Amino acid sequence: MAEHTAIVPFRIDIPQADLDDLADRLARTRWAEELPAAPGAAPAGPVPPGWEYGVPLGYVKRLVERWRTTYDWREWEAKLNAYPQFTTEIDGQNVHFLHVRSPEPDATGLILTHGWPTSPVEWLDVIGPLTDPRAHGGDPADAFHLVIPSLPGFGFSGPTRERGWNRFRVARAWAELMRRLGYDRYGTVGNDSGSCVSPEVGRVDPEHVIGVHVTQVFSFPSGDPGELDRLTEQERGSLAFGEWFVRNRGAYDKLQSTEPQNVAHALADSPVGQLGWSAQILGEFLDPDFVLTNVMIYWLTNTAASAARFYYEDAAAVHPTQKVNGRGTERLAPTSVPLGLANFAWDFQSVRTLAERDHATIVSWHTYDRGSHFATQDAPDLLVADIREFFAKLR
């Protein structure tokens, strides 16, 4: 069957019946039980007090009360609908995206990729500064035309309908999307899962991708003899923290990478369950309406299962250029497109020695003393400046 390559205007318009059903479910919530706080109990590592066992009941109750009484989905729906949105079919999959062109005609194309458990909402606060720097005290030469898709299986892209939607397949889809939109020269930006996808876009489309900017470089030890001997003391500390996080706070990753359907049944049936599952990464320090809006998008589109499957498919992925032999899967060759990192204080700490093994052309590597895994929310000024500086080097 031929693929439908048309780019179709899209507008979010959630039926009121769906919002009424949500309100009814929230009103009938059966709360989880939890242990009372232990006097003087110390958190297990860098964990907020009260979060030792995971997302606490008190936090969930506060957000559900806000959800029921003051949160306004229609307001956020209107915010999203203020930007041009479209859908198109790529590789048999519906892809939803925002396409916000700069008033500067010579602006550079840029595709921004979110992660889990967010959506294009993650990027809303940086659209203005990136598309119209002149209006935000910047140099018009730093302007970008923005393409902000929903990952396949996430939100308004809708559920994936077949196996294999991993970072490599998404990267090929993004290259096709940018070709379809007429961008002969463009950059990529990513956070979280977007930091996995974005370098692969450069790998599959190096003739057109001018640079890759990420907020994490997920390069881990390979097991090669002597590899860890090359790490600096600071890098060893960063690696130790990453290992601690995977062991102690990585429940979502372990489950979604191995048996994603297990949790999907609960998330499809309970909006409060979706909130609790998402909040383990979003956390208590982000704006509650930002948290609720992202939770709403997963709930309203029933994409908890397909979003979780991205982890499973990615964990099982073998890149088409990899060869399997008696010793196992050979490592991918390093990427060659220029790469830049903006690493924020309260986030996964990337290790440059390992990153240089996987990426041959690192041209920018900045670490900051503030900001978190969601820098668009708590350090947007630093992130925008870093993106501008990185791509200015490539002009």
Side-chain angles (χ1 to χ4, degrees):
M1 182 179 295
E3 183 167 271
H4 301 288
T5 61
I7 294 172
V8 181
F10 178 83
R11 183 176 178 82
I12 303 168
D13 186 14
I14 299 300
Q16 185 59 41
D18 291 357
L19 301 182
D20 294 342
D21 174 73
L22 170 64
D24 180 64
R25 289 171 184 262
L26 292 176
R28 294 185 295 106
T29 299
R30 185 174 74 162
W31 303 107
E33 60 82 32
E34 69 177 1
L35 292 173
V47 179
W51 288 65
E52 297 89 345
Y53 287 89
V55 181
L57 179 60
Y59 170 82
V60 173
K61 281 188 170 182
R62 287 195 301 275
L63 259 69
V64 170
E65 179 64 17
R66 183 184 187 94
W67 207 352
R68 293 182 59 238
T69 60
T70 62
Y71 174 81
D72 185 353
W73 163 255
R74 294 300 187 196
E75 177 184 340
W76 282 89
E77 189 177 70
K79 286 182 181 180
L80 282 162
N81 283 334
Y83 299 103
Q85 296 175 70
F86 305 88
T87 61
T88 192
E89 182 184 322
I90 302 177
D91 194 9
Q93 170 66 34
N94 183 65
V95 174
H96 160 263
F97 61 97
L98 281 64
H99 189 193
V100 188
R101 293 188 62 83
S102 170
E104 306 294 338
D106 296 328
T108 301
L110 205 61
I111 183 166
L112 280 61
T113 307
H114 67 88
W116 182 90
T118 59
S119 66
V121 170
E122 181 174 348
W123 302 105
L124 293 186
D125 290 347
V126 299
I127 288 176
L130 289 176
T131 58
D132 193 4
R134 193 191 301 267
H136 292 81
D139 186 337
D142 291 328
F144 300 95
H145 301 307
L146 299 183
V147 178
I148 311 176
S150 298
L151 282 164
F154 290 65
F156 295 108
S157 284
T160 47
R161 301 300 184 188
E162 58 184 18
R163 297 172 183 261
W165 277 101
N166 53 54
R167 71 180 72 181
F168 306 115
R169 190 169 179 180
V170 174
R172 295 193 297 273
W174 278 192
E176 169 59 19
L177 176 61
M178 296 304 277
R179 185 201 65 78
R180 203 172 285 183
L181 293 173
Y183 289 103
D184 186 60
R185 183 174 182 272
Y186 65 95
T188 73
V189 172
N191 179 52
D192 190 77
S193 299
S195 287
C196 298
V197 170
S198 294
E200 299 307 323
V201 182
R203 191 193 301 277
V204 301
D205 197 19
E207 297 84 3
H208 302 105
V209 175
I210 61 172
V212 174
H213 186 280
V214 294
T215 44
Q216 306 89 16
V217 176
F218 293 114
S219 291
F220 299 99
S222 66
D224 290 350
E227 182 178 57
L228 299 184
D229 295 341
R230 300 196 300 272
L231 302 189
T232 67
E233 183 176 350
Q234 182 179 9
E235 288 176 332
R236 290 175 185 273
S238 297
L239 187 61
F241 172 77
E243 291 172 345
W244 175 90
F245 185 90
V246 169
R247 285 195 309 270
N248 296 279
R249 313 303 295 179
Y252 67 95
D253 183 37
K254 293 173 186 175
L255 193 150
Q256 294 186 162
S257 296
T258 55
E259 296 182 313
Q261 201 67 20
N262 288 357
V263 72
H265 301 293
L267 304 186
D269 188 59
S270 169
V272 176
Q274 180 70 71
L275 170 60
W277 189 246
S278 299
Q280 60 185 304
I281 288 301
L282 294 170
E284 65 179 333
F285 300 112
L286 297 178
D287 180 86
D289 280 7
F290 173 78
V291 173
L292 290 173
T293 300
N294 282 289
V295 171
M296 282 285 283
I297 289 173
Y298 285 65
W299 172 257
L300 294 169
T301 59
N302 195 15
T303 52
S306 53
R309 282 199 299 270
F310 178 85
Y311 279 70
Y312 180 93
E313 301 290 355
D314 212 54
V318 175
H319 191 275
T321 62
Q322 289 179 307
K323 298 177 182 179
V324 179
N325 55 31
R327 298 189 305 276
T329 303
E330 294 179 0
R331 186 183 305 141
L332 287 168
T335 67
S336 59
V337 171
L339 183 138
L341 170 75
N343 214 168
F344 294 90
W346 305 107
D347 194 9
F348 173 87
Q349 297 301 296
S350 303
V351 177
R352 180 153 189 169
T353 297
L354 300 180
E356 289 172 344
R357 176 200 68 202
D358 298 334
H359 305 283
T361 316
I362 297 176
V363 301
S364 177
W365 186 281
H366 295 145
T367 59
Y368 294 101
D369 60 3
R370 61 184 173 90
S372 71
H373 191 65
F374 299 100
T376 58
Q377 306 307 300
D378 50 26
D381 56 327
L382 296 179
L383 178 62
V384 167
D386 205 283
I387 291 171
R388 288 173 175 171
E389 179 184 339
F390 171 68
F391 283 103
K393 294 178 181 180
L394 308 178
R395 286 202 294 265

